[in-house]
């Protein structure tokens, strides 16, 4: 989703929200999240890729946790959990309730 604008990401998330069960559904997203406390050695790589995305895409970018929260809420997901994994990306689990 990092190659897409916020509007396109929210559209995808809204469609996912419509397709999953209300109580047991979840969406899993594997993405780099800027500004997390455990990304020290990857932060400069993430910033470089973020600059590249700004140049090569229309609206694509790596996002902070706050930006992800706004996207998820706009897509109909009121709860989420971020799971740090070794490496640049993190796993985002988004739930409708």
């Amino acid at each position: 989703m990092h190659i897409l604008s916020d509007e396109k990401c929210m559209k995808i998330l809204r469609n996912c929200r419509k397709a999953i069960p209300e109580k047991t559904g979840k969406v899993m997203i594997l993405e780099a999240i800027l500004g997390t406390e455990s990304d020290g050695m990857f932060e400069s790589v993430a910033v470089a890729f973020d600059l590249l995305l700004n140049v090569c895409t229309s609206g694509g970018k790596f996002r902070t946790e706050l930006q992800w929260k706004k996207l998820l809420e706009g897509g109909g997901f009121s709860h989420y959990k971020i799971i740090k994994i070794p490496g640049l990306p993190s796993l985002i689990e988004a739930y409708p309730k």
Side-chain angles (χ1 to χ4, degrees), residues 46-82:
V47 170
F49 277 123
D50 190 42
L51 290 172
L52 184 62
L53 286 171
N54 281 319
V55 171
C56 297
T57 67
S58 57
K61 59 185 171 186
F62 283 136
R63 295 171 172 89
T64 64
E65 182 175 349
L66 181 60
Q67 290 170 318
W68 272 110
K69 182 179 191 278
K70 289 178 183 177
L71 281 181
L72 293 168
E73 288 174 348
F77 293 91
S78 57
H79 296 81
Y80 69 94
K81 178 170 44 172
I82 295 177

Side-chain angles (χ1 to χ4, degrees), residues 2 20 23-24 29 34 39 48 70:
H2 57 268
I20 64 172
K23 295 183 180 181
T24 59
I29 305 165
L34 290 179
D39 64 4
K70 289 178 183 177

Side-chain angles (χ1 to χ4, degrees), residues 38-50:
S38 64
D39 64 4
M41 73 171 154
F42 296 109
E43 183 68 19
S44 60
V45 173
V47 170
F49 277 123
D50 190 42

Side-chain angles (χ1 to χ4, degrees), residues 27-41:
V27 170
M28 298 175 73
I29 305 165
L30 188 65
E31 281 285 340
I33 300 174
L34 290 179
T36 58
E37 68 279 351
S38 64
D39 64 4
M41 73 171 154

